[in-house]
Amino acid sequence: MKMLIQKVKEKLSPIFPYGVLESWDDLDPKLYHAVHIFWLKFYGLWYNNYPKKSIKFWLNMMYTLLVLWLVCFFPGIGEVVYLLKRRDNIGDVAEGLYLFLSEMYTYFKVLVFWLNKDKVISLQKFLHCKEFKPKEPEHKEIIRKSIRKARFVMTSYATMCVGAVSVGIILPLTENFDILPTNVEYPFFDVYKNPTYAYLYLHHIYYKPATCIIDGVMDTILAAFVASAIGQIEILAFNLRNFDVLAERRRKRAISDNKYIGKYTNLYFTKRILKECILLHNSIIRYVSVIESAFSLASALQFMLSVMVLCLIGIQFLSIENPTSHPMQMVWMAIYLTCMLIEVFILCWFGNELIWKSNDLRQAAFDGPWRNLNRKTCMFIIIFMERCKRPMRLSAGKIFTLSLDTYTVLINWAYKAFAVMRNMKK
């Protein structure tokens, strides 16, 4: 029976993200991003690593272009035409512009993701470095929790976004099919006449969830990298607080493996643990700097456009005449606003966690059993604590720091812009 189950898992594994059917015992670092990579490959947006002379390269390229045409270029053209035709009505402009901006900056993030291919690949390789490998049972549990967190954020956020656009997709049903899920118009045909309307409605059923999933991947892949860094910081904090216990474990393992030499005292193993702590800290700092260089530009644009989109959604709320007769439209706007708030919150929350966890390293070093060490060894801990005075942090375009303080500032800016536009509308 076990053999049969194993064979079924092997056949089904290609159609599921890595880690759904596979065991987590080895804690392969690709578990952090397996769900993200699965969906990027599904939509042809993952890196095309096939040789340029192979047929697979060109088939993959054609599929990628087809997907981009269906989910980016074709609807984008329709939204631009709609905005140009309705530019005299601020309500219609707000309604069309917030969707257009939120969709277009999703694909700008995809473009930046492609341009930073080498950095993203280097981040994935970095996770396999020897400093990041778990050495103790407690390390494995910390990494397992961080992987669960990264996968949960991706799955739950993408599911929430798809659920939100599902409300937008059924919105035309409540409006007697007088509207489309997204306001689009094209110069050469009338979108509200059959069979064009039916074709476009089917197209929206495909492209709206696809855009939400891609947007969810682009937002949470940064969060997954930060989650992996936070996991390593928690391991480092555990090592600093318990280096005497870890040193004793190492000594006992050396004895059991017949590698113990009498001159290797407890102090020797303690120094080895502290040296590994310093090397791990250096590796985490380098890892965080690469994360920032890979995602800084996309995050900065996202923050700035998020302020504009939140403002436009507020204007759209005010532009709905007789809201009680359009309950589904109000629900759609409220859900979309919630998704936008959560989208920015995810990045700021993980950035804030990175700051706090790295700040905690000084306290972790102080909480350790350093009182039993000699003065020379204590100096290493003092120097380490001095280095930890500056917490690790991620910035977006060297302008914003990813933190909850920044999130509060962005919401404040969005409200101020909304208040100005509301007065203009009046």
Side-chain angles (χ1 to χ4, degrees):
M1 188 64 180
K2 290 183 178 179
M3 292 290 291
L4 178 61
I5 294 174
Q6 185 63 29
K7 288 182 179 179
V8 171
K9 286 184 176 180
E10 289 177 359
K11 289 184 179 180
L12 293 177
S13 59
I15 64 174
F16 289 101
Y18 179 78
V20 174
L21 299 176
E22 292 81 3
S23 171
W24 285 25
D25 291 340
D26 60 348
L27 292 177
D28 192 322
K30 68 182 180 182
L31 287 166
Y32 280 106
H33 310 97
V35 180
H36 306 82
I37 294 173
F38 173 83
W39 284 111
L40 288 175
K41 287 183 177 179
F42 182 83
Y43 288 110
L45 300 179
W46 184 245
Y47 303 125
N48 191 346
N49 294 319
Y50 297 111
K52 291 185 178 180
K53 293 183 180 180
S54 68
I55 188 67
K56 288 184 178 181
F57 175 88
W58 295 106
L59 288 175
N60 190 77
M61 181 69 72
M62 291 173 62
Y63 177 65
T64 300
L65 292 174
L66 175 63
V67 170
L68 287 175
W69 171 254
L70 291 174
V71 302
C72 179
F73 300 125
F74 182 65
I77 292 169
E79 288 170 312
V80 169
V81 173
Y82 173 86
L83 290 171
L84 291 175
K85 289 185 176 181
R86 307 295 178 92
R87 60 182 177 271
D88 295 330
N89 187 316
I90 189 171
D92 290 341
V93 170
E95 183 180 6
L97 192 58
Y98 80 84
L99 286 173
F100 174 73
L101 289 176
S102 59
E103 290 173 4
M104 289 304 108
Y105 81 62
T106 295
Y107 296 102
F108 177 82
K109 287 184 283 188
V110 173
L111 176 62
V112 174
F113 182 75
W114 284 344
L115 292 176
N116 289 326
K117 175 182 177 180
D118 293 339
K119 294 177 182 178
V120 174
I121 297 298
S122 68
L123 283 171
Q124 289 185 304
K125 292 179 178 178
F126 211 123
L127 285 171
H128 291 83
C129 70
K130 64 179 183 179
E131 289 84 5
F132 283 4
K133 292 186 182 300
K135 299 177 179 65
E136 304 293 335
E138 293 86 353
H139 298 174
K140 293 181 179 181
E141 187 57 32
I142 290 171
I143 290 178
R144 188 174 283 107
K145 286 181 180 178
S146 66
I147 290 173
R148 286 201 195 103
K149 187 185 295 183
R151 292 171 73 99
F152 171 77
V153 169
M154 163 59 206
T155 304
S156 57
Y157 177 68
T159 303
M160 181 187 66
C161 290
V162 171
V165 298
S166 298
V167 175
I169 289 171
I170 65 174
L171 185 61
L173 300 177
T174 64
E175 301 288 338
N176 298 319
F177 292 101
D178 291 331
I179 61 173
L180 283 164
T182 302
N183 292 315
V184 293
E185 291 189 21
Y186 294 93
F188 303 113
F189 51 84
D190 188 348
V191 299
Y192 298 104
K193 288 185 177 179
N194 281 322
T196 306
Y197 182 91
Y199 292 146
L200 285 175
Y201 188 73
L202 290 173
H203 169 251
H204 278 68
I205 292 175
Y206 167 78
Y207 111 81
K208 295 295 285 184
T211 299
C212 281
I213 292 172
I214 295 167
D215 181 61
V217 169
M218 288 293 102
D219 288 332
T220 57
I221 196 168
L222 170 57
F225 280 118
V226 179
S228 63
I230 293 172
Q232 294 299 325
I233 292 173
E234 290 177 348
I235 289 174
L236 178 55
F238 172 82
N239 292 349
L240 290 168
R241 286 189 170 99
N242 302 277
F243 61 77
D244 59 338
V245 176
L246 299 179
E248 180 62 18
R249 287 183 190 175
R250 293 282 182 89
R251 190 183 69 83
K252 289 181 178 179
R253 281 192 211 127
I255 293 173
S256 63
D257 295 339
N258 295 320
K259 295 180 180 178
Y260 181 72
I261 302 175
K263 66 179 182 179
Y264 291 165
T265 61
N266 282 347
L267 181 60
Y268 167 81
F269 288 101
T270 298
K271 287 183 176 179
R272 286 195 61 180
I273 296 294
L274 292 175
K275 181 180 178 181
E276 289 175 5
C277 288
I278 294 171
L279 292 174
L280 177 57
H281 188 235
N282 290 337
S283 296
I284 297 171
I285 292 173
R286 292 198 305 271
Y287 181 64
V288 170
S289 68
V290 178
I291 293 176
E292 180 176 316
S293 64
F295 294 96
S296 177
L297 177 61
S299 299
L301 182 72
Q302 178 174 349
F303 281 173
M304 290 185 285
L305 289 181
S306 293
V307 171
M308 188 179 299
V309 170
L310 290 171
C311 168
L312 292 171
I313 293 174
I315 295 297
Q316 179 58 20
F317 264 117
L318 296 178
S319 300
I320 299 176
E321 298 178 1
N322 193 11
T324 55
S325 62
H326 302 281
M328 283 299 294
Q329 193 168 357
M330 296 296 293
V331 170
W332 156 243
M333 296 291 297
I335 294 175
Y336 194 89
L337 176 63
T338 303
C339 289
M340 288 299 304
L341 291 171
I342 293 175
E343 177 184 49
V344 181
F345 177 80
I346 288 172
L347 298 181
C348 291
W349 186 84
F350 275 96
N352 200 71
E353 281 291 291
L354 179 68
I355 294 171
W356 280 99
K357 293 292 184 181
S358 59
N359 259 331
D360 186 55
L361 289 176
R362 293 181 69 230
Q363 186 63 42
F366 182 77
D367 292 342
W370 52 268
R371 297 166 187 83
N372 301 325
L373 300 177
N374 58 43
R375 182 174 294 182
K376 184 177 179 181
T377 307
C378 286
M379 285 302 299
F380 291 112
I381 298 177
I382 293 172
I383 293 171
F384 178 85
M385 291 173 66
E386 285 296 314
R387 194 176 186 197
C388 292
K389 281 186 175 179
R390 173 184 281 185
M392 301 177 209
R393 63 182 73 227
L394 291 170
S395 69
K398 305 296 183 182
I399 303 172
F400 309 101
T401 297
L402 269 63
S403 67
L404 292 181
D405 291 338
T406 300
Y407 182 74
T408 305
V409 170
L410 292 175
I411 300 303
N412 190 28
W413 286 358
Y415 176 76
K416 288 179 179 178
F418 164 72
V420 171
M421 294 190 71
R422 182 183 59 181
N423 290 334
M424 291 174 60
K425 187 174 185 295
K426 289 180 180 180

